[in-house]
């Protein structure tokens, strides 16, 4: 059962504890509110201000699990705070760990991403499902958060969607085929035969000869290269170094792409930031 008073009090306390700079917003010279304004939180949670305001006023319908997940992410809640939010609203909290799709990004990882406004970066799950991108990340690879179902996994798309390879240099394709098959096998072993990783492997084994050959090679430990070779439809070839920050609690990784200062790729990244986030075709 929903605890309306407790939910309202908790939402107010978390909103008032957040500062604009905590969520990547400008403070502005005329701010008088302690913490964030309701309309700011509503925008961060992808909902109307009226809907969010009613929750803080102990009114409105019981929020769905999906709505609560959006609120938890928008308010930069920790996992314990997220679970508390779900229970106040009368729901069981989502499962933790790497077995299911973990949409909730830790506040620390979000704070780092929010500050990478001029850098291509993304937060992904262990199966390569993109949860969040910076604007320049979208400009580099397209909006990879838009996919649904098995196609959310970049490794699955690699074998099933020819356009998934367009942004990578052709000479990298054989290695990436080996890497995605090897990585998926390791996750299947880690998560077990009933995991989402195992389901993806079964789908690919049933439908894709290239994946079957790479899977049967039984390679373990094929690690991503530190330097990635992208091919962008507007700026051309890019050689970028990828740094990875791992959140083991949620099996998430923050991937940050940088170019050597003064290099041709560095100039192209600057051009890409001017062009803006345009989808790949």
């Amino acid at each position: 059962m929903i605890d309306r008073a407790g939910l309202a009090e908790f939402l107010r306390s978390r909103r008032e504890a957040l500062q604009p700079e905590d969520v990547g917003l400008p403070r502005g010279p005329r701010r008088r509110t302690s913490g964030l304004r309701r309309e700011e939180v509503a925008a961060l949670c992808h909902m109307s201000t009226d809907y969010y305001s009613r929750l803080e006023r102990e009114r409105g319908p019981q929020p769905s699990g999906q709505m609560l997940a959006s609120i938890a992410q928008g308010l930069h809640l920790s996992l314990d705070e997220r679970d508390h939010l779900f229970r106040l609203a009368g729901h069981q909290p989502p499962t933790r760990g790497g077995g299911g799709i973990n949409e909730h990004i830790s506040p620390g990882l979000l704070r780092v991403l929010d500050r990478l406004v001029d850098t291509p970066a993304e937060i992904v799950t262990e199966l390569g499902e993109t949860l969040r991108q910076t604007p320049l990340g979208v400009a580099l690879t397209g909006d990879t958060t838009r996919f649904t179902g098995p196609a959310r996994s970049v490794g699955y798309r690699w074998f099933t969607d020819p356009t998934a390879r367009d942004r990578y240099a052709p000479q990298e394709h054989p290695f990436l085929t080996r890497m995605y098959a090897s990585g998926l096998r390791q996750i299947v072993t880690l998560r077990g035969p009933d995991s989402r990783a195992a389901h993806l492997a079964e789908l690919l084994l049933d439908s894709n000869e290239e994946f079957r050959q790479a899977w049967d090679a039984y390679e373990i430990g094929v690690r991503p290269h530190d330097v990635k070779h992208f091919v962008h439809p507007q700026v051309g070839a890019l050689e970028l170094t990828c740094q990875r920050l791992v959140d083991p609690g949620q099996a998430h990784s923050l991937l940050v792409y940088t170019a050597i200062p003064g290099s041709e790729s560095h100039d192209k990244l600057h051009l890409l930031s001017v062009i803006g986030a345009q989808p790949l075709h």
Side-chain angles (χ1 to χ4, degrees):
M1 181 180 296
I2 184 172
D3 178 355
R4 292 190 180 277
L7 178 62
E9 182 182 12
F10 182 62
L11 291 176
R12 284 194 299 270
S13 71
R14 299 320 305 148
R15 174 175 61 82
E16 292 171 358
L18 278 177
Q19 300 304 315
E21 52 268 26
D22 294 333
V23 295
L25 295 175
R27 171 166 291 275
R30 299 181 180 179
R31 177 173 294 271
R32 297 178 181 176
T33 306
S34 173
L36 296 182
R37 302 183 179 99
R38 288 193 181 95
E39 58 267 26
E40 291 172 331
V41 170
L44 290 169
C45 299
H46 307 289
M47 62 184 62
S48 72
T49 302
D50 176 67
Y51 182 91
Y52 178 80
S53 297
R54 282 188 290 162
L55 291 178
E56 282 202 6
R57 292 168 180 153
E58 304 179 28
R59 296 164 49 197
Q62 180 184 26
S64 66
Q66 182 177 3
M67 191 67 76
L68 291 169
S70 294
I71 293 172
Q73 199 67 85
L75 286 172
H76 284 42
L77 300 186
S78 68
L79 279 176
D80 287 337
E81 290 170 333
R82 180 204 66 177
D83 292 353
H84 183 67
L85 173 71
F86 269 75
R87 293 188 180 101
L88 286 172
H91 290 269
Q92 281 297 315
T95 303
R96 296 193 189 192
I101 241 187
N102 297 304
E103 303 281 358
H104 188 76
I105 304 168
S106 70
L109 214 55
L110 267 183
R111 283 193 292 269
V112 176
L113 185 76
D114 287 340
R115 284 158 174 75
L116 297 173
V117 293
D118 59 349
T119 304
E122 59 183 341
I123 295 175
V124 301
T125 69
E126 63 184 3
L127 289 175
E129 299 146 325
T130 304
L131 301 178
R132 192 74 65 91
Q133 295 170 283
T134 61
L136 196 50
V138 176
L140 176 65
T141 64
D143 180 6
T144 52
T145 66
R146 73 183 190 279
F147 297 100
T148 59
R152 290 192 66 178
S153 167
V154 64
Y156 183 86
R157 294 198 304 275
W158 183 260
F159 293 100
T160 59
D161 181 359
T163 64
R165 307 189 178 200
D166 291 348
R167 64 181 182 272
Y168 296 97
Q171 67 267 24
E172 294 287 303
H173 291 187
F175 169 78
L176 291 172
T177 294
R178 295 169 50 224
M179 183 194 76
Y180 286 128
S182 171
L184 184 57
R185 183 181 283 279
Q186 288 187 257
I187 299 172
V188 170
T189 302
L190 176 65
R191 301 303 178 192
D194 296 325
S195 63
R196 290 188 308 111
H199 177 62
L200 289 181
E202 290 170 5
L203 289 175
L204 290 170
L205 286 168
D206 288 342
S207 63
N208 191 278
E209 178 61 27
E210 183 186 23
F211 177 79
R212 281 194 293 269
Q213 291 180 10
W215 184 265
D216 290 343
Y218 216 111
E219 291 189 272
I220 300 297
V222 181
R223 302 295 183 189
H225 291 154
D226 291 337
V227 177
K228 313 290 185 185
H229 295 88
F230 291 96
V231 179
H232 191 274
Q234 292 169 293
V235 301
L238 287 157
E239 185 175 290
L240 304 178
T241 299
C242 179
Q243 301 292 334
R244 180 185 295 263
L245 177 63
V246 178
D247 175 7
Q250 281 292 82
H252 292 164
S253 295
L254 170 63
L255 307 180
V256 182
Y257 302 96
T258 60
I260 297 174
S263 66
E264 183 179 355
S265 292
H266 187 266
D267 293 339
K268 288 181 177 180
L269 267 189
H270 177 70
L271 176 60
L272 195 57
S273 69
V274 174
I275 293 173
Q278 299 181 15
L280 294 177
H281 298 288

